[in-house]
Amino acid sequence: MEPIPCNTCGQTRFSPIFTKESPLGESFSIVSCESCHLVQVNPQPSFLEVKKYYDDSYFTQRTERGYDNYYSDKLRTEISRVFRLNLKDLDFFSWEKKRISSLPLGTKLSSLDIGCAAGYFVAYQKDRGYEAYGIEIADGPVRFARETLKLNIFQENFLDWDLTFQNQFDLITLWATIEHLHKPKETLEKIRKHLKPGGVLILSTCRYGILAKLAGLKWRYLNVPEHLYYYSYKGLKNLLLTLGYQNPVSFSYGSGMTSRAGASFFFKLRKWIMDRAVKWFEIGDMMVYMVRKG
């Protein structure tokens, strides 16, 4: 593990927050940058050290870190439902309608989903008429996306892919991906070069805010070392604007109450109330941004 400068501001002074142990018994320090307050794992494990946490069990066994059979129709349906809700809350479909009307008749919009896993958003966009692509590094999800869903998936590290920027897109998405990246700022810079003029980036990520601070070490998204960066609502917006993105639209959601099988009526009612309350007061522990390339 290597001490690194803050990925957002480049400073090297940090305040400790937690030390947390991974399922493999490795300890990781979670710190806050004293300059920009970005919360992060630092010292940081290498890409290869983190990669061992993403074997196929991450996608097929339910833990706090993975999924209960990521390849099931049930989970695919649920993930697609969340996509649609997020796009609606961002008023994405209004942008899309205007974008289509500005193009020659019959021209398809294009999209790229970075960290696409099994390609569910790629499939969603393909079904809606997009020239849809995804990019992913994990073997199992790529195999499923290509062989079962018949999707166009690049199996590469995004920062090493298409360095001449031949591929240009109307929409690029990072669904719950940026927190996993070793170089998130550099990724956002490269994404902007792959967007067509007026194209948009949509990203979702866990939010380090009041709910995370109240939960402390028990916060549901404090998964080390898979999650390397924890942005605040304001911190992520400032980073996007600094990189030249425009017209930010955003919202937060998620009360921290996770759905569970066999939950009582009172648990479901409390979750329903809490989920709506945190969204109304903009204190949810997930956040979504849509920004435009000028």
Side-chain angles (χ1 to χ4, degrees):
M1 295 206 292
E2 177 184 3
I4 60 168
C6 175
N7 184 258
T8 290
C9 69
Q11 296 299 311
T12 56
R13 292 183 299 175
F14 302 95
S15 299
I17 303 176
F18 302 116
T19 297
K20 188 170 184 181
E21 193 171 278
S22 76
L24 299 183
E26 299 174 308
S27 292
F28 296 92
S29 296
I30 300 164
V31 302
S32 174
C33 174
E34 292 187 0
S35 178
C36 71
H37 309 296
L38 173 63
V39 175
Q40 56 200 274
V41 173
N42 206 341
Q44 195 173 96
S46 69
F47 173 77
L48 290 177
E49 285 298 308
V50 176
K51 193 174 185 293
K52 65 190 178 187
Y53 286 86
Y54 293 100
D55 61 16
D56 276 348
S57 66
Y58 180 85
F59 296 94
T60 57
Q61 297 176 16
R62 180 66 191 178
T63 66
E64 67 170 350
R65 351 175 58 78
Y67 303 92
D68 181 8
N69 191 3
Y70 189 83
Y71 307 114
S72 70
D73 289 340
K74 180 180 178 181
L75 190 58
R76 178 183 176 184
T77 299
E78 173 60 17
I79 289 173
S80 297
R81 183 185 71 85
V82 174
F83 287 150
R84 288 193 295 271
L85 288 174
N86 286 346
L87 294 175
K88 182 180 178 181
D89 284 340
L90 291 169
D91 199 24
F92 167 78
F93 298 112
S94 293
W95 171 85
E96 183 183 67
K97 185 177 180 180
K98 292 177 182 177
R99 186 75 169 179
I100 292 172
S101 68
S102 70
L103 298 175
L105 189 64
T107 303
K108 286 188 173 184
L109 296 183
S110 57
S111 65
L112 174 70
D113 187 25
I114 301 172
C116 68
Y120 294 150
F121 188 70
V122 183
Y124 174 75
Q125 291 294 84
K126 181 181 177 181
D127 290 344
R128 297 181 63 246
Y130 274 69
E131 291 284 353
Y133 298 85
I135 186 165
E136 173 62 51
I137 60 171
D139 295 334
V142 168
R143 187 166 55 251
F144 180 87
R146 287 174 173 173
E147 296 176 5
T148 304
L149 301 183
K150 310 301 182 185
L151 300 175
N152 293 316
I153 308 295
F154 303 101
Q155 188 171 15
E156 295 187 51
N157 184 323
F158 173 71
L159 287 178
D160 298 327
W161 169 77
D162 189 13
L163 297 177
T164 57
F165 305 103
Q166 295 300 304
N167 289 276
Q168 299 286 305
F169 303 93
D170 298 286
L171 167 68
I172 297 180
T173 50
L174 280 168
W175 297 110
T177 295
I178 194 171
E179 65 270 20
H180 295 259
L181 303 178
H182 280 76
K183 296 182 177 180
K185 182 178 180 180
E186 292 83 348
T187 299
L188 294 173
E189 289 173 327
K190 188 170 188 286
I191 285 173
R192 192 169 181 274
K193 295 177 181 178
H194 282 289
L195 281 172
K196 296 177 181 178
V200 296
L201 162 66
I202 294 176
L203 70 156
S204 67
T205 186
C206 48
R207 172 191 181 185
Y208 198 82
I210 186 171
L211 297 185
K213 293 173 184 177
L214 288 173
L217 272 173
K218 295 182 179 180
W219 184 39
R220 60 177 176 165
Y221 294 122
L222 204 64
N223 298 336
V224 294
E226 299 97 319
H227 291 180
L228 297 171
Y229 292 99
Y230 302 91
Y231 290 92
S232 68
Y233 206 31
K234 182 179 178 181
L236 182 56
K237 178 181 179 180
N238 288 342
L239 175 60
L240 291 166
L241 293 176
T242 298
L243 295 177
Y245 291 99
Q246 300 175 4
N247 306 108
V249 178
S250 63
F251 68 95
S252 73
Y253 69 97
S255 64
M257 296 183 67
T258 305
S259 297
R260 60 193 187 202
S264 69
F265 168 79
F266 294 103
F267 177 87
K268 292 178 180 178
L269 178 61
R270 185 155 52 97
K271 178 176 171 14
W272 186 89
I273 294 170
M274 289 296 295
D275 284 347
R276 279 150 185 79
V278 299
K279 190 172 183 180
W280 176 263
F281 290 107
E282 297 186 335
I283 59 171
D285 66 356
M286 280 290 293
M287 56 183 171
V288 187
Y289 269 94
M290 181 171 78
V291 288
R292 189 175 304 183
K293 177 179 178 177

